Amino acid sequence: MTSKPATNVDGNDIVAEIAPAPQDIVVLKQKPSGFFGTNMASYLTLLGCDSVIVTGTTTSGCVRATVLDAFSLNYRIALAEEGCFDRSQASHAINLCDMNAKYADVVKTSEVLAYFDSLPSGMYDLPKGSPAPAPKPRLAANM
């Protein structure tokens, strides 16, 4: 039996290979769904999104909860097949099959990546807003 090398990575940390860029939104969740108790839906509304692409762990837990909440909020959902996993291959396969039948389109991750490559750059940049107007000068009254 071969042992894996020990790492000092906290299981809750985002690994460097997929670390968010400064313009990325990070949603911290306390429950299985990425929607429950977070401002995820508000961000998606702000960006004009009508669909989501879901990846993550575990397929039968957090991924499924997020897919169900997204479905309940009327988003169209693509679930990247190789972009999620479960502790058990059987549980993974059964949940993918069930979600594909009811709530999401399970697609190959290569299709998701090709879709991302086809999008115009800057399509989902956050709105810049406008600067606040300069305050009007107040006149001092002579007393």
Side-chain angles (χ1 to χ4, degrees):
M1 184 166 114
T2 306
S3 63
K4 294 181 181 178
T7 65
N8 292 328
V9 176
D10 181 321
N12 294 312
D13 288 344
I14 300 173
V15 295
E17 293 84 358
I18 59 170
Q23 74 276 12
D24 292 336
I25 299 169
V26 176
V27 176
L28 301 175
K29 65 184 189 76
Q30 300 296 314
K31 300 296 180 187
S33 171
F35 287 93
F36 186 85
T38 72
N39 50 6
M40 174 83 78
S42 294
Y43 284 130
L44 295 174
T45 298
L46 175 69
L47 294 168
C49 299
D50 64 357
S51 56
V52 294
I53 298 171
V54 178
T55 65
T57 60
T58 60
T59 311
S60 62
C62 295
V63 170
R64 186 179 182 92
T66 299
V67 165
L68 287 169
D69 280 355
F71 179 82
S72 297
L73 291 167
N74 294 319
Y75 289 102
R76 293 184 59 206
I77 304 135
L79 178 55
E81 182 176 1
E82 302 88 359
C84 55
F85 83 97
D86 208 301
R87 292 171 193 91
S88 154
Q89 188 58 35
S91 180
H92 174 73
I94 290 165
N95 278 277
L96 285 179
C97 181
D98 188 57
M99 286 186 282
N100 189 60
K102 300 174 185 173
Y103 311 113
D105 294 319
V106 176
V107 297
K108 296 287 184 192
T109 301
S110 59
E111 291 178 50
V112 172
L113 295 173
Y115 173 73
F116 285 150
D117 288 340
S118 75
L119 296 174
S121 73
M123 184 175 176
Y124 290 107
D125 287 350
L126 292 174
K128 301 283 188 255
S130 57
K136 294 181 181 180
R138 296 180 132 182
L139 298 175
N142 291 335
M143 301 222 181

PDB file of all heavy atoms in Angstrom, residues 27-46:
ATOM      1  N   VAL A  27     -18.195  33.323  -2.423  1.00  0.00           N
ATOM      2  CA  VAL A  27     -19.367  33.183  -1.563  1.00  0.00           C
ATOM      3  C   VAL A  27     -19.035  32.151  -0.495  1.00  0.00           C
ATOM      4  O   VAL A  27     -18.753  31.000  -0.806  1.00  0.00           O
ATOM      5  CB  VAL A  27     -20.604  32.747  -2.378  1.00  0.00           C
ATOM      6  CG1 VAL A  27     -21.791  32.498  -1.473  1.00  0.00           C
ATOM      7  CG2 VAL A  27     -20.934  33.792  -3.448  1.00  0.00           C
ATOM      8  N   LEU A  28     -19.050  32.584   0.753  1.00  0.00           N
ATOM      9  CA  LEU A  28     -18.784  31.668   1.863  1.00  0.00           C
ATOM     10  C   LEU A  28     -20.099  31.058   2.304  1.00  0.00           C
ATOM     11  O   LEU A  28     -21.063  31.778   2.573  1.00  0.00           O
ATOM     12  CB  LEU A  28     -18.125  32.421   3.020  1.00  0.00           C
ATOM     13  CG  LEU A  28     -16.799  33.094   2.671  1.00  0.00           C
ATOM     14  CD1 LEU A  28     -16.292  33.910   3.848  1.00  0.00           C
ATOM     15  CD2 LEU A  28     -15.766  32.077   2.237  1.00  0.00           C
ATOM     16  N   LYS A  29     -20.157  29.748   2.337  1.00  0.00           N
ATOM     17  CA  LYS A  29     -21.398  29.078   2.709  1.00  0.00           C
ATOM     18  C   LYS A  29     -21.215  28.320   4.011  1.00  0.00           C
ATOM     19  O   LYS A  29     -20.139  27.827   4.309  1.00  0.00           O
ATOM     20  CB  LYS A  29     -21.895  28.179   1.588  1.00  0.00           C
ATOM     21  CG  LYS A  29     -21.014  26.996   1.256  1.00  0.00           C
ATOM     22  CD  LYS A  29     -21.561  26.242   0.051  1.00  0.00           C
ATOM     23  CE  LYS A  29     -20.840  24.942  -0.172  1.00  0.00           C
ATOM     24  NZ  LYS A  29     -21.184  23.869   0.719  1.00  0.00           N
ATOM     25  N   GLN A  30     -22.288  28.235   4.773  1.00  0.00           N
ATOM     26  CA  GLN A  30     -22.276  27.528   6.043  1.00  0.00           C
ATOM     27  C   GLN A  30     -23.053  26.216   5.980  1.00  0.00           C
ATOM     28  O   GLN A  30     -22.965  25.394   6.879  1.00  0.00           O
ATOM     29  CB  GLN A  30     -22.894  28.408   7.141  1.00  0.00           C
ATOM     30  CG  GLN A  30     -22.162  29.716   7.342  1.00  0.00           C
ATOM     31  CD  GLN A  30     -20.745  29.519   7.842  1.00  0.00           C
ATOM     32  OE1 GLN A  30     -20.505  28.746   8.758  1.00  0.00           O
ATOM     33  NE2 GLN A  30     -19.801  30.197   7.216  1.00  0.00           N
ATOM     34  N   LYS A  31     -23.840  26.055   4.937  1.00  0.00           N
ATOM     35  CA  LYS A  31     -24.693  24.880   4.765  1.00  0.00           C
ATOM     36  C   LYS A  31     -24.371  24.236   3.425  1.00  0.00           C
ATOM     37  O   LYS A  31     -23.638  24.792   2.617  1.00  0.00           O
ATOM     38  CB  LYS A  31     -26.176  25.283   4.832  1.00  0.00           C
ATOM     39  CG  LYS A  31     -26.577  25.924   6.161  1.00  0.00           C
ATOM     40  CD  LYS A  31     -26.432  24.943   7.303  1.00  0.00           C
ATOM     41  CE  LYS A  31     -26.821  25.588   8.629  1.00  0.00           C
ATOM     42  NZ  LYS A  31     -26.543  24.739   9.759  1.00  0.00           N
ATOM     43  N   PRO A  32     -24.932  23.061   3.129  1.00  0.00           N
ATOM     44  CA  PRO A  32     -24.573  22.364   1.895  1.00  0.00           C
ATOM     45  C   PRO A  32     -24.814  23.150   0.607  1.00  0.00           C
ATOM     46  O   PRO A  32     -23.999  23.095  -0.303  1.00  0.00           O
ATOM     47  CB  PRO A  32     -25.441  21.099   1.929  1.00  0.00           C
ATOM     48  CG  PRO A  32     -25.663  20.850   3.381  1.00  0.00           C
ATOM     49  CD  PRO A  32     -25.770  22.215   4.001  1.00  0.00           C
ATOM     50  N   SER A  33     -25.894  23.902   0.519  1.00  0.00           N
ATOM     51  CA  SER A  33     -26.202  24.630  -0.707  1.00  0.00           C
ATOM     52  C   SER A  33     -25.426  25.929  -0.796  1.00  0.00           C
ATOM     53  O   SER A  33     -25.303  26.663   0.188  1.00  0.00           O
ATOM     54  CB  SER A  33     -27.702  24.937  -0.772  1.00  0.00           C
ATOM     55  OG  SER A  33     -27.965  25.813  -1.856  1.00  0.00           O
ATOM     56  N   GLY A  34     -24.949  26.237  -1.990  1.00  0.00           N
ATOM     57  CA  GLY A  34     -24.308  27.520  -2.236  1.00  0.00           C
ATOM     58  C   GLY A  34     -25.287  28.673  -2.207  1.00  0.00           C
ATOM     59  O   GLY A  34     -24.881  29.840  -2.177  1.00  0.00           O
ATOM     60  N   PHE A  35     -26.580  28.370  -2.198  1.00  0.00           N
ATOM     61  CA  PHE A  35     -27.609  29.407  -2.170  1.00  0.00           C
ATOM     62  C   PHE A  35     -28.135  29.676  -0.766  1.00  0.00           C
ATOM     63  O   PHE A  35     -28.435  30.815  -0.423  1.00  0.00           O
ATOM     64  CB  PHE A  35     -28.788  29.020  -3.081  1.00  0.00           C
ATOM     65  CG  PHE A  35     -28.470  29.125  -4.536  1.00  0.00           C
ATOM     66  CD1 PHE A  35     -27.996  28.029  -5.239  1.00  0.00           C
ATOM     67  CD2 PHE A  35     -28.640  30.319  -5.222  1.00  0.00           C
ATOM     68  CE1 PHE A  35     -27.695  28.124  -6.587  1.00  0.00           C
ATOM     69  CE2 PHE A  35     -28.344  30.436  -6.569  1.00  0.00           C
ATOM     70  CZ  PHE A  35     -27.865  29.327  -7.246  1.00  0.00           C
ATOM     71  N   PHE A  36     -28.252  28.651   0.058  1.00  0.00           N
ATOM     72  CA  PHE A  36     -28.908  28.792   1.360  1.00  0.00           C
ATOM     73  C   PHE A  36     -28.115  29.715   2.278  1.00  0.00           C
ATOM     74  O   PHE A  36     -26.954  29.467   2.596  1.00  0.00           O
ATOM     75  CB  PHE A  36     -29.092  27.429   2.028  1.00  0.00           C
ATOM     76  CG  PHE A  36     -29.880  27.510   3.303  1.00  0.00           C
ATOM     77  CD1 PHE A  36     -31.264  27.479   3.280  1.00  0.00           C
ATOM     78  CD2 PHE A  36     -29.240  27.653   4.523  1.00  0.00           C
ATOM     79  CE1 PHE A  36     -31.996  27.569   4.453  1.00  0.00           C
ATOM     80  CE2 PHE A  36     -29.962  27.742   5.707  1.00  0.00           C
ATOM     81  CZ  PHE A  36     -31.349  27.700   5.665  1.00  0.00           C
ATOM     82  N   GLY A  37     -28.743  30.799   2.711  1.00  0.00           N
ATOM     83  CA  GLY A  37     -28.119  31.711   3.650  1.00  0.00           C
ATOM     84  C   GLY A  37     -26.967  32.526   3.074  1.00  0.00           C
ATOM     85  O   GLY A  37     -26.194  33.102   3.830  1.00  0.00           O
ATOM     86  N   THR A  38     -26.852  32.581   1.748  1.00  0.00           N
ATOM     87  CA  THR A  38     -25.798  33.375   1.110  1.00  0.00           C
ATOM     88  C   THR A  38     -26.451  34.414   0.188  1.00  0.00           C
ATOM     89  O   THR A  38     -27.659  34.406  -0.027  1.00  0.00           O
ATOM     90  CB  THR A  38     -24.853  32.504   0.251  1.00  0.00           C
ATOM     91  OG1 THR A  38     -25.526  32.082  -0.940  1.00  0.00           O
ATOM     92  CG2 THR A  38     -24.344  31.296   1.025  1.00  0.00           C
ATOM     93  N   ASN A  39     -25.636  35.266  -0.380  1.00  0.00           N
ATOM     94  CA  ASN A  39     -26.137  36.260  -1.331  1.00  0.00           C
ATOM     95  C   ASN A  39     -25.888  35.844  -2.784  1.00  0.00           C
ATOM     96  O   ASN A  39     -25.862  36.678  -3.676  1.00  0.00           O
ATOM     97  CB  ASN A  39     -25.528  37.628  -1.035  1.00  0.00           C
ATOM     98  CG  ASN A  39     -24.022  37.564  -0.890  1.00  0.00           C
ATOM     99  OD1 ASN A  39     -23.413  36.526  -1.114  1.00  0.00           O
ATOM    100  ND2 ASN A  39     -23.416  38.670  -0.491  1.00  0.00           N
ATOM    101  N   MET A  40     -25.751  34.546  -3.007  1.00  0.00           N
ATOM    102  CA  MET A  40     -25.495  34.031  -4.352  1.00  0.00           C
ATOM    103  C   MET A  40     -26.560  34.473  -5.362  1.00  0.00           C
ATOM    104  O   MET A  40     -26.232  34.967  -6.441  1.00  0.00           O
ATOM    105  CB  MET A  40     -25.421  32.508  -4.336  1.00  0.00           C
ATOM    106  CG  MET A  40     -25.312  31.885  -5.717  1.00  0.00           C
ATOM    107  SD  MET A  40     -23.667  31.865  -6.354  1.00  0.00           S
ATOM    108  CE  MET A  40     -23.036  30.489  -5.449  1.00  0.00           C
ATOM    109  N   ALA A  41     -27.828  34.304  -5.035  1.00  0.00           N
ATOM    110  CA  ALA A  41     -28.892  34.669  -5.978  1.00  0.00           C
ATOM    111  C   ALA A  41     -28.855  36.162  -6.284  1.00  0.00           C
ATOM    112  O   ALA A  41     -29.095  36.567  -7.430  1.00  0.00           O
ATOM    113  CB  ALA A  41     -30.258  34.255  -5.435  1.00  0.00           C
ATOM    114  N   SER A  42     -28.532  36.984  -5.305  1.00  0.00           N
ATOM    115  CA  SER A  42     -28.441  38.436  -5.536  1.00  0.00           C
ATOM    116  C   SER A  42     -27.329  38.756  -6.522  1.00  0.00           C
ATOM    117  O   SER A  42     -27.496  39.597  -7.410  1.00  0.00           O
ATOM    118  CB  SER A  42     -28.189  39.174  -4.223  1.00  0.00           C
ATOM    119  OG  SER A  42     -29.291  39.041  -3.369  1.00  0.00           O
ATOM    120  N   TYR A  43     -26.174  38.099  -6.363  1.00  0.00           N
ATOM    121  CA  TYR A  43     -25.077  38.319  -7.314  1.00  0.00           C
ATOM    122  C   TYR A  43     -25.483  37.884  -8.719  1.00  0.00           C
ATOM    123  O   TYR A  43     -25.209  38.573  -9.703  1.00  0.00           O
ATOM    124  CB  TYR A  43     -23.820  37.560  -6.890  1.00  0.00           C
ATOM    125  CG  TYR A  43     -23.076  38.188  -5.744  1.00  0.00           C
ATOM    126  CD1 TYR A  43     -22.705  37.432  -4.654  1.00  0.00           C
ATOM    127  CD2 TYR A  43     -22.727  39.536  -5.756  1.00  0.00           C
ATOM    128  CE1 TYR A  43     -22.011  37.993  -3.592  1.00  0.00           C
ATOM    129  CE2 TYR A  43     -22.035  40.109  -4.700  1.00  0.00           C
ATOM    130  CZ  TYR A  43     -21.677  39.333  -3.627  1.00  0.00           C
ATOM    131  OH  TYR A  43     -20.990  39.887  -2.587  1.00  0.00           O
ATOM    132  N   LEU A  44     -26.138  36.736  -8.829  1.00  0.00           N
ATOM    133  CA  LEU A  44     -26.545  36.247 -10.148  1.00  0.00           C
ATOM    134  C   LEU A  44     -27.559  37.190 -10.792  1.00  0.00           C
ATOM    135  O   LEU A  44     -27.514  37.427 -12.000  1.00  0.00           O
ATOM    136  CB  LEU A  44     -27.103  34.826 -10.038  1.00  0.00           C
ATOM    137  CG  LEU A  44     -26.082  33.768  -9.599  1.00  0.00           C
ATOM    138  CD1 LEU A  44     -26.764  32.425  -9.379  1.00  0.00           C
ATOM    139  CD2 LEU A  44     -24.951  33.654 -10.598  1.00  0.00           C
ATOM    140  N   THR A  45     -28.458  37.737  -9.992  1.00  0.00           N
ATOM    141  CA  THR A  45     -29.424  38.719 -10.506  1.00  0.00           C
ATOM    142  C   THR A  45     -28.692  39.970 -10.978  1.00  0.00           C
ATOM    143  O   THR A  45     -28.968  40.491 -12.066  1.00  0.00           O
ATOM    144  CB  THR A  45     -30.458  39.080  -9.421  1.00  0.00           C
ATOM    145  OG1 THR A  45     -31.182  37.897  -9.079  1.00  0.00           O
ATOM    146  CG2 THR A  45     -31.435  40.134  -9.909  1.00  0.00           C
ATOM    147  N   LEU A  46     -27.755  40.470 -10.186  1.00  0.00           N
ATOM    148  CA  LEU A  46     -26.971  41.648 -10.550  1.00  0.00           C
ATOM    149  C   LEU A  46     -26.263  41.454 -11.888  1.00  0.00           C
ATOM    150  O   LEU A  46     -26.198  42.367 -12.712  1.00  0.00           O
ATOM    151  CB  LEU A  46     -25.938  41.947  -9.454  1.00  0.00           C
ATOM    152  CG  LEU A  46     -24.951  43.075  -9.722  1.00  0.00           C
ATOM    153  CD1 LEU A  46     -25.672  44.423  -9.713  1.00  0.00           C
ATOM    154  CD2 LEU A  46     -23.836  43.056  -8.698  1.00  0.00           C
TER     155      LEU A  46
END
